Amino acid sequence: MLGRQNQRNSTSVLDAAPERAAAQAAEHFLRRPAVDQLLIDAFDKPLTTVTAGAGFGKTQAVLSALRSTECNTAWMQLSELDNHVSRFWERLAQALDPQEEQLYDKLISLGYPESYAAFDQFLKLLSQKHEQTTVLVFDDFHLIRNMVILDFIELFISAQVSGFSIVLVSRKRPEISLSGMLSKGLLARVSEDDLRFSKEELASYLHLQGIQLSQEVLADLYAYSNGWIFGIYLAGLAAKKGNHQGFNPLLAAKEDIFDLIEKELFQKASDALQILLIKLSLLDVIPAELLRELAGHEQSLITEMTQLSMFIRHDPFQDSYRIHQLFEEFLQAKKAWLHTDEISQVHTTAAQWYLEHEHTFAAIYHYKADGRYREIFDIIKAIRGRVSGEAANSLLELIEQAPKDLLKAAPLVRVMQAAFLFNNNRLAEAKVVLLALQEEYEELPPTEENRTVLGEVYCLLAMFCIIENDYAFEELYRKADELLPHGSSLVDNRTCIAEGHNVCSISNPAAGELQRYQDALFRAAPAMARSMNGCGFGLEYLNAAESSLYTGNLKAAEQFAYEAISRAGQYRQYDTAYMAQFVLVRIYTARGNYAKAIEILDQLKSQLEVIHVAECCSLYDVISGWFYTKLGETKQVAEWIRHEEEIHKTRAPVLIGREYLVCTDSLLAEERYFELLAFIERTDSKFEERGILFALIQNRIIGAVTHHYLGNHELSIRFLAEAYELSYPNGLIMQFVEYGNRMRTLIHAARLNEDCTIPREWLDLIYTKSSSYAKMTAQLTAEHASLNGLCTGGAGALGRTKLSKRELELLTHLCRGMTRKEIASHCYLSLSTVNSVLKSAYNKLGAFNAADAARLAREQNLIPAG
């Protein structure tokens, strides 16, 4: 019936009664409201899985939650004997009988349903409506291995019988298909992590037992038990026996736990499994494939190991195993059972496996444990592009710990040391390392090896010069090109160098600097691409595209951007191509061309599925985030961009980049003005330290706009003047224009301000262009709403200014010709309240008078026309 008919071979399990009793005892006097509520909420779904190893109080947690509900309960405590179909059916009938009179007799008469027709009859017997939900619990579900029974339960779950909520309590993931239930939101999962005692619960439990421990001892106990209820219970027993000051229950509890492990688990394992377990304790996480390799592909050995679910947890999503910390400590104490060459073989096998699967840092860890620094150096020299700040610090620490003689003999690793310092924005330290290498190798005989090292030094120094606006990069790339006829061995086309801030990263605001930098980059480009194996190919055209964009020459920017994309494609410079696409998205946004902008975003998203370049994922987040912010859809912005602390975790510290632009725009769109001012104050020092002109201008513009909307007009004009001084010499206008209505309103206020020293003709230019930009973005949002079937009018319409009901009401009255006094009388409000509400509406719309507000509101379909 219903699919699979064969049964699996029966396997022995450890008796878990002591652990269950311990868990119940531990929870008996401690209420856990959070766990209760988690399960109570779960009972609202057709299916709940409660999955954790022994000693985590699964059963007690479900019982506790059920006591807090008005649900009926049908409980099946399963055992090995329930793998017999007839016994299982009889016990299921007994469990369900209290829920309906004579149901037991009906089910027994029906018998186990061996056809779909019989199964339908079973469902009909359960289908009578009850006032309360029945929660049917299958406890110790992991003991069921009979595929006939598993098929029945799977079908029972899929039927979603009205008034029934099924709970599977198991030590391991139920071996039935649950993906359909999960995808439809019909499955609630309660995991081991949900059931662990928190630090507070641990302290509360021990306090209830009359046990007082120091915070230090509590911290140690929690670290070792990791919230495992059984371990905490044993620690509590040990503490009750230790009646002297300063007693640490952890040590006594560990003795009891280790004794239990030795007698009930380790001694019962085969000799081969004992050795394998000790070997596995040398690993942190154990991928299933690596486990098979270390087990010599002996499936019976792996099967025997998986029965130790109390101490070895399988993660089905990562297909890996993790040994509980206490069991791991127990096993590591037996490390002496292994020969030195056996330990070395484990680390070597693990390192090679991780390296083959591109887990670089895990491979390095195991090579280090085996003292194999030469292999580590080879891995370090193969690392390309940026890494996280934490990863770079780990690599730097590793290099510093390496034997000095080995490091001296590996100069390219010292170059990489500078690269990691550079990665973490420790520019001064990086330059010290590189300049010392330059001085050393310029004095050595020009052997092929020495010339190679010097060429690599010149390459990295040139990259420093580019971001520091030092034109020495021209000469350095020329020298590197001469010394590295076959290109760098440390940098290739996989290295991303266009993922930081704008490529046109000039620091000097003097007139002509933008063109000077562009010319230098065009001259250096051929040598740069040759010496770095195609890395940076097309970068000069991306720089020209960005320069043209910021000066408002959109036609030239478009032409340069497409050329950059074409050239970048020749050497798979995805970062350059993505950033050129960003230029195009900004151009099409300025032109109001929604179709082209969306087409580019769709292409970039689909490309991610093919190229699998991690850096491009974050670049896509930046590009799409910028565009959707212009539409007012800040919820579409990736979470890591919306929060400053997440930016630091996601990006290499040296990449002070475009994500800051999107973050500030998102905060501005959500009118989180005070957060925004704090954000630009924090980032200003970073931008000034690096001399990133465009970022400094950006912060000044944001400060001007924000202070204007907060009513700080003097500060607003000051910030605007500073932005003007930094941008005017090179004709940079687009950063102002892209703020549309907000900039238009600000410029209007500046033109009326007698203290504003900014030339009128410049103010008029920005006013005109930002007004035009605002119309284009309004067109974009309208088209977006139309094409996506979104609301096109009313408060909060997607892509439009979000006005409150009160703001909309008063603005509508104003647009119909009512005076403010009349509005106040009509709406039973004070005149000051009317003025305050209308001022808020003006600010949100970017309007500077009633007529302007009426026009903008009608353009966005916020109020009726006429």
Side-chain angles (χ1 to χ4, degrees):
M1 169 268 162
L2 312 180
R4 301 160 292 189
Q5 295 294 324
N6 60 314
Q7 295 188 19
R8 297 180 182 178
N9 293 329
S10 177
T11 53
S12 63
V13 295
L14 294 174
D15 181 11
E19 289 86 341
R20 183 180 293 112
Q24 291 174 347
E27 288 203 311
H28 184 67
F29 299 106
L30 182 67
R31 292 299 306 275
R32 305 186 70 191
V35 176
D36 283 349
Q37 192 58 54
L38 178 67
L39 283 162
I40 290 169
D41 292 342
F43 297 155
D44 289 335
K45 295 184 180 292
L47 176 63
T48 300
T49 60
V50 183
T51 310
F56 276 94
K58 302 182 293 296
T59 299
Q60 186 66 17
V62 175
L63 285 169
S64 176
L66 285 170
R67 292 191 198 104
S68 303
T69 72
E70 295 182 355
C71 297
N72 295 319
T73 302
W75 193 288
M76 276 195 71
Q77 181 63 56
L78 299 168
S79 71
E80 289 277 5
L81 296 176
D82 290 311
N83 282 290
H84 297 285
V85 173
S86 58
R87 173 185 164 89
F88 171 83
W89 187 250
E90 182 178 355
R91 296 197 64 231
L92 177 61
Q94 289 173 339
L96 292 172
D97 183 60
Q99 311 313 319
E100 183 184 337
E101 189 177 353
Q102 297 181 341
L103 181 59
Y104 174 82
D105 292 336
K106 294 175 184 177
L107 291 176
I108 294 300
S109 177
L110 173 67
Y112 179 80
E114 297 184 353
S115 68
Y116 286 106
F119 186 79
D120 286 340
Q121 285 296 111
F122 164 71
L123 295 180
K124 288 178 181 178
L125 289 174
L126 299 182
S127 62
Q128 294 187 12
K129 187 68 177 175
H130 299 282
E131 292 183 6
Q132 290 90 22
T133 297
T134 295
V135 178
L136 172 58
V137 182
F138 291 100
D139 197 3
D140 282 343
F141 187 73
H142 56 276
L143 297 179
I144 301 300
R145 293 179 299 281
N146 186 320
M147 303 308 278
V148 173
I149 297 175
L150 289 174
D151 279 337
F152 165 77
I153 293 177
E154 183 176 323
L155 201 58
F156 186 10
I157 290 168
S158 300
Q160 299 176 46
V161 180
S162 177
F164 272 82
S165 175
I166 298 175
V167 179
L168 305 181
V169 181
S170 178
R171 288 191 190 177
K172 60 183 180 180
R173 186 184 184 189
E175 296 189 28
I176 57 177
S177 177
L178 303 176
S179 56
M181 302 288 286
L182 181 62
S183 64
K184 295 175 184 177
L186 303 175
L187 165 63
R189 284 176 165 170
V190 178
S191 68
E192 201 168 272
D193 290 335
D194 297 318
L195 297 175
R196 296 179 192 278
F197 268 8
S198 66
K199 292 180 182 178
E200 294 74 19
E201 287 175 325
L202 181 150
S204 297
Y205 166 68
L206 293 177
H207 178 72
L208 288 171
Q209 305 304 311
I211 301 167
Q212 299 296 328
L213 300 175
S214 69
Q215 290 299 316
E216 182 179 356
V217 172
L218 283 173
D220 286 344
L221 177 55
Y222 185 78
Y224 272 86
S225 68
N226 197 20
W228 179 40
I229 297 173
F230 179 45
I232 293 168
Y233 168 73
L234 289 177
L237 291 179
K240 284 186 175 181
K241 298 175 184 176
N243 300 314
H244 57 278
Q245 185 69 23
F247 174 75
N248 188 334
L250 179 62
L251 299 177
K254 281 166 58 178
E255 289 179 8
D256 289 339
I257 294 170
F258 287 178
D259 184 58
L260 175 71
I261 292 172
E262 181 74 41
K263 293 178 180 177
E264 297 297 327
L265 187 150
F266 193 72
Q267 288 181 4
K268 294 181 179 180
S270 65
D271 292 346
L273 179 58
Q274 290 179 359
I275 294 299
L276 176 62
L277 289 170
I278 298 170
K279 288 181 178 180
L280 294 179
S281 71
L282 302 175
L283 309 176
D284 181 25
V285 177
I286 310 160
E289 189 177 328
L290 177 58
L291 169 62
R292 287 191 288 272
E293 194 168 335
L294 291 172
H297 298 280
E298 289 287 340
Q299 185 57 47
S300 60
L301 199 58
I302 297 173
T303 300
E304 183 184 359
M305 188 201 79
T306 57
Q307 302 309 311
L308 311 179
S309 58
M310 179 179 176
F311 287 108
I312 299 178
R313 184 178 62 178
H314 179 244
D315 180 351
F317 303 102
Q318 300 293 329
D319 196 19
S320 62
Y321 296 84
R322 185 182 289 273
I323 301 176
H324 190 283
Q325 185 175 356
L326 285 165
F327 190 31
E328 184 177 65
E329 187 175 337
F330 168 85
L331 293 170
Q332 287 175 347
K334 299 181 179 294
K335 187 177 175 181
W337 288 27
L338 302 177
H339 297 296
T340 303
D341 57 344
E342 287 181 303
I343 296 173
S344 177
Q345 182 265 338
V346 170
H347 286 301
T348 299
T349 301
Q352 291 173 348
W353 186 90
Y354 280 119
L355 202 56
E356 289 171 6
H357 292 79
E358 299 182 352
H359 299 302
T360 302
F361 290 93
I364 288 175
Y365 167 82
H366 286 287
Y367 275 135
K368 183 187 176 187
D370 202 23
R372 301 177 65 167
Y373 275 91
R374 295 188 189 280
E375 285 83 354
I376 292 174
F377 287 169
D378 288 339
I379 294 174
I380 288 175
K381 287 185 289 186
I383 293 175
R384 298 290 181 266
R386 312 290 176 224
V387 295
S388 69
E390 182 182 358
N393 280 332
S394 297
L395 291 166
L396 287 167
E397 184 179 343
L398 190 68
I399 292 171
E400 291 167 2
Q401 292 172 351
K404 300 303 179 186
D405 56 332
L406 290 179
L407 189 58
K408 179 71 175 177
L412 293 183
V413 175
R414 293 159 65 193
V415 176
M416 291 300 294
Q417 181 183 23
F420 297 138
L421 290 167
F422 173 60
N423 180 94
N424 279 13
N425 211 29
R426 295 161 61 180
L427 304 185
E429 296 172 69
K431 288 187 77 171
V432 167
V433 174
L434 284 178
L435 292 174
L437 277 167
Q438 179 184 4
E439 182 179 357
E440 178 183 348
Y441 277 82
E442 283 181 343
E443 296 297 323
L444 293 174
T447 63
E448 182 177 349
E449 182 180 354
N450 292 343
R451 285 168 60 86
T452 297
V453 174
L454 195 55
E456 301 287 4
V457 170
Y458 287 151
C459 261
L460 191 53
L461 278 173
M463 293 176 71
F464 273 65
C465 291
I466 283 181
I467 72 162
E468 292 183 333
N469 200 216
D470 182 346
Y471 293 97
F473 66 77
E474 274 193 79
E475 180 63 16
L476 287 167
Y477 275 129
R478 184 190 63 77
K479 290 182 176 179
D481 189 27
E482 292 176 356
L483 294 172
L484 301 171
H486 303 294
S488 168
S489 63
L490 302 179
V491 181
D492 62 21
N493 66 321
R494 293 172 293 170
T495 305
C496 296
I497 61 174
E499 49 178 328
H501 209 272
N502 305 287
V503 177
C504 48
S505 56
I506 61 171
S507 57
N508 186 353
E513 190 68 17
L514 200 63
Q515 188 62 49
R516 182 186 173 203
Y517 183 84
Q518 180 172 313
D519 294 343
L521 201 55
F522 266 94
R523 290 192 298 268
M528 176 176 66
R530 285 194 299 268
S531 60
M532 298 199 299
N533 303 297
C535 176
F537 198 70
L539 200 68
E540 70 276 27
Y541 285 93
L542 173 57
N543 171 75
E546 290 180 346
S547 299
S548 300
L549 171 69
Y550 285 121
T551 55
N553 189 345
L554 302 189
K555 183 177 181 180
E558 185 177 16
Q559 180 181 348
F560 283 129
Y562 277 113
E563 183 63 29
I565 293 168
S566 174
R567 287 174 172 264
Q570 296 178 43
Y571 284 92
R572 291 177 294 175
Q573 296 297 280
Y574 300 119
D575 57 321
T576 296
Y578 266 60
M579 287 301 93
Q581 301 276 27
F582 188 21
V583 172
L584 292 175
V585 169
R586 294 171 79 166
I587 291 170
Y588 296 135
T589 300
R591 291 175 178 169
N593 194 332
Y594 177 82
K596 289 293 291 183
I598 285 294
E599 179 185 343
I600 289 174
L601 289 176
D602 289 344
Q603 287 175 352
L604 294 179
K605 189 173 184 178
S606 61
Q607 195 174 10
L608 287 176
E609 300 174 2
V610 178
I611 61 177
H612 303 297
V613 177
E615 291 80 1
C616 289
C617 292
S618 60
L619 295 182
Y620 172 78
D621 287 344
V622 168
I623 300 168
S624 62
W626 181 90
F627 180 71
Y628 284 113
T629 297
K630 292 301 176 186
L631 299 180
E633 290 193 61
T634 56
K635 297 300 182 185
Q636 296 276 13
V637 178
E639 280 299 312
W640 72 269
I641 295 178
R642 290 166 56 83
H643 303 287
E644 185 180 359
E645 63 275 10
E646 293 300 320
I647 292 177
H648 300 319
K649 295 177 184 177
T650 305
R651 306 284 273 161
V654 75
L655 299 177
I656 302 175
R658 301 164 179 87
E659 60 275 3
Y660 285 92
L661 163 66
V662 182
C663 187
T664 54
D665 281 2
S666 178
L667 291 171
L668 182 61
E670 294 175 354
E671 300 177 10
R672 293 155 62 183
Y673 296 130
F674 294 105
E675 288 180 59
L676 188 50
L677 289 175
F679 181 81
I680 64 174
E681 185 177 344
R682 289 192 300 273
T683 55
D684 248 357
S685 59
K686 296 179 182 179
F687 299 153
E688 287 173 357
E689 181 184 351
R690 286 275 300 276
I692 305 175
L693 180 64
F694 288 99
L696 289 169
I697 294 172
Q698 179 76 22
N699 271 7
R700 299 300 184 276
I701 293 172
I702 288 289
V705 171
T706 303
H707 281 300
H708 172 73
Y709 280 94
L710 289 174
N712 304 326
H713 300 302
E714 185 178 337
L715 278 173
S716 176
I717 297 301
R718 193 191 83 190
F719 272 86
L720 182 63
E722 289 176 2
Y724 163 78
E725 293 294 338
L726 292 171
S727 60
Y728 179 74
N730 285 286
L732 306 173
I733 62 171
M734 202 62 188
Q735 286 177 282
F736 298 88
V737 171
E738 286 180 329
Y739 286 97
N741 266 333
R742 291 181 182 275
M743 182 56 60
R744 188 180 70 94
T745 309
L746 171 59
I747 294 297
H748 176 74
R751 292 194 299 193
L752 297 177
N753 192 307
E754 295 180 356
D755 296 328
C756 180
T757 59
I758 303 172
R760 179 65 180 233
E761 61 179 354
W762 186 87
L763 291 173
D764 290 345
L765 172 68
I766 301 300
Y767 181 89
T768 300
K769 288 188 173 295
S770 58
S771 297
S772 176
Y773 191 92
K775 292 177 182 177
M776 294 299 102
T777 52
Q779 180 178 317
L780 280 176
T781 55
E783 189 170 354
H784 177 73
S786 175
L787 290 173
N788 291 277
L790 303 170
C791 173
T792 58
L798 190 58
R800 287 161 176 72
T801 306
K802 296 181 179 179
L803 301 180
S804 69
K805 290 183 180 179
R806 178 67 78 182
E807 288 166 344
L808 275 172
E809 179 188 10
L810 269 57
L811 189 60
T812 301
H813 290 321
L814 188 71
C815 293
R816 288 173 177 168
M818 294 176 67
T819 66
R820 296 189 181 213
K821 286 185 178 179
E822 289 171 337
I823 294 171
S825 175
H826 179 76
C827 296
Y828 302 99
L829 299 171
S830 68
L831 183 59
S832 62
T833 299
V834 171
N835 288 332
S836 176
V837 172
L838 288 175
K839 181 182 178 181
S840 174
Y842 285 11
N843 283 341
K844 289 182 179 180
L845 287 165
F848 43 78
N849 59 32
D852 197 37
R855 178 183 62 79
L856 292 169
R858 288 190 178 109
E859 282 181 359
Q860 298 185 43
N861 294 326
L862 295 174
I863 60 174

